[in-house]
Amino acid sequence: MRRRILGGTGIEVSEYTLGAMMFGAWGNRDHDESVRMIHTALDAGINFVDTADIYSDGESEVIVGKALKGRRDDVVLATKGHFYGLNRPGSNSRRWLTRALDNSLRRLGVDHVDLYQVHRPDHNTDIDETLSALSDFVRAGKVRAIGSSVFPAEQIVEAQWVAERRGHVRFRTEQPPYSILNRGIEAHVLPTAQRYGMGVLTWGPLSAGWLSGRYSTPSDVDLQAGRVALQNHKFDPAMPGNAAKLAATNELKKVAADLGRPLTHLALAFVRSHPAVTSAIIGPRTPEQLADLLAGADLVLDDDVLDRIDEIVPPGVDLNAVDPDYTPPALADKSLRRR
């Protein structure tokens, strides 16, 4: 497992980050099996684990804490704060983040995390307020570095400027969604992160399962099962955006087949091929999924393969645009765009 420096911090992290969203009620409810999966990932060379207080309402952090007992010093540990709860608005205020971080440290059973990230932007809180609180966390020894998640390029720039002008600790990382089907960040977010020397931790490399290889025809999409049933709009093949994903997926399977690899390996190798990406977050739910993803860590794509991918989904094109992971308030709140 190759390693890279995280956003100029001097911290070495593996090219794969083990994402813990699927550990707990949202995915694998078996704590013992989840702990074994974390140990398997660490033994395979992954040294970076990312979780969040919202994942399974904190249960994910509890599981990660169990797994890291006796191994804490070998792991770069990251978590996130922002949301009050599932489907509830969040806050990046000092008041809320102070509480959120203390609760995360308690669940994890540690006295500090190596990276603390604000999980989403917050248009109700001045970025100066947020960075001031995060800087105090660093100075108190509770946090080693700070980062953002799903910030648009303009807010990344604003945060960097405010940190410089007000003497705050600056964001060292950004955590955006990125996959072959979700390439929108290539236009602005990734170049901006590069310009400021930020590490980039990408999530969703399999694009909510579209790049898992399980879908070939519309009939393969069971709209009544599991995650799909909860988010029909992301998977219903009758919708034009989803039909485009299915068509692209079938073309990408041909590219993967020519390499003698499963589509999952192609998807992860594509994400890691971008020079701005520091580490790709994988989020397995089962030991079998973890084993498959780990087996693809050696794949490096040459220019011919990347050119073929560009022909299927052009650079900067986001086939997930119909359901973005963050919608700016100026678009979501009609009162902000009507007199």
Side-chain angles (χ1 to χ4, degrees):
M1 187 71 62
R2 289 177 293 271
R3 294 189 177 184
R4 296 170 178 168
I5 299 299
L6 181 65
T9 62
I11 301 172
E12 283 192 339
V13 297
S14 48
E15 280 190 336
Y16 276 5
T17 298
L18 181 65
M21 189 176 76
M22 288 290 102
F23 298 145
W26 288 11
N28 192 330
R29 295 174 179 269
D30 187 329
H31 283 212
D32 290 339
E33 184 172 78
S34 297
V35 166
R36 287 194 296 271
M37 288 175 63
I38 295 171
H39 289 168
T40 296
L42 299 182
D43 292 342
I46 291 178
N47 78 329
F48 201 3
V49 178
D50 177 78
T51 184
D53 59 357
I54 190 65
Y55 298 162
S56 297
D57 196 25
E59 186 182 2
S60 169
E61 290 182 323
V62 172
I63 293 171
V64 170
K66 290 179 180 179
L68 296 189
K69 284 189 182 342
R71 305 187 69 163
R72 174 65 183 93
D73 291 343
D74 300 326
V75 175
V76 179
L77 177 59
T79 192
K80 299 181 285 293
H82 166 77
F83 293 104
Y84 295 128
L86 187 62
N87 296 324
R88 293 182 61 197
S91 173
N92 294 341
S93 67
R94 175 182 291 272
R95 181 175 185 272
W96 175 250
L97 290 179
T98 299
R99 176 180 172 184
L101 175 60
D102 286 344
N103 286 338
S104 288
L105 294 176
R106 174 180 51 80
R107 285 189 292 264
L108 289 163
V110 299
D111 62 3
H112 76 279
V113 292
D114 298 293
L115 177 65
Y116 192 60
Q117 304 151 100
V118 288
H119 211 151
R120 290 292 187 275
D122 173 16
H123 71 284
N124 290 317
T125 304
D126 194 313
I127 190 63
D128 179 58
E129 166 82 3
T130 300
L131 290 173
S132 174
L134 295 173
S135 297
D136 285 346
F137 298 164
V138 173
R139 296 180 182 115
K142 295 181 178 182
V143 172
R144 298 294 184 256
I146 61 172
S148 56
S149 179
V150 197
F151 269 46
E154 65 273 15
Q155 292 192 34
I156 293 174
V157 173
E158 180 186 14
Q160 294 291 324
W161 285 3
V162 169
E164 179 180 358
R165 293 172 181 176
R166 300 304 298 270
H168 298 317
V169 175
R170 70 184 183 93
F171 285 141
R172 289 290 190 171
T173 64
E174 162 61 16
Q175 186 176 135
Y178 185 44
S179 73
I180 298 176
L181 302 182
N182 187 9
R183 301 184 62 174
I185 64 169
E186 292 175 342
H188 302 292
V189 170
L190 291 181
T192 299
Q194 286 178 296
R195 187 172 301 118
Y196 287 100
M198 298 173 69
V200 175
L201 318 172
T202 60
W203 56 272
L206 302 186
S207 195
W210 280 101
L211 299 176
S212 67
R214 72 175 70 121
Y215 304 128
S216 296
T217 67
S219 62
D220 294 329
V221 183
D222 183 356
L223 296 176
Q224 307 303 315
R227 179 180 185 177
V228 177
L230 298 174
Q231 298 178 311
N232 269 198
H233 62 290
K234 288 187 176 182
F235 296 93
D236 186 351
M239 299 180 66
N242 295 325
K245 295 178 193 177
L246 186 60
T249 297
N250 283 324
E251 291 302 311
L252 292 167
K253 284 182 179 179
K254 298 175 185 176
V255 178
D258 289 344
L259 293 173
R261 296 286 194 130
L263 181 57
T264 51
H265 292 189
L266 180 74
L268 264 295
F270 168 81
V271 170
R272 300 197 324 272
S273 71
H274 197 290
V277 174
T278 308
S279 187
I281 299 174
I282 58 173
R285 179 178 55 83
T286 67
E288 293 75 21
Q289 291 172 350
L290 175 60
D292 171 53
L293 297 173
L294 290 174
D298 66 321
L299 181 60
V300 177
L301 305 181
D302 62 26
D303 286 345
D304 290 340
V305 174
L306 292 171
D307 286 343
R308 289 181 66 184
I309 292 174
D310 286 351
E311 291 174 0
I312 297 168
V313 182
V317 169
D318 188 356
L319 296 182
N320 288 337
V322 293
D323 186 47
D325 296 290
Y326 171 72
T327 301
L331 300 182
D333 185 349
K334 62 184 180 183
S335 68
L336 298 178
R337 49 188 166 80
R338 295 180 181 178
R339 291 187 183 277

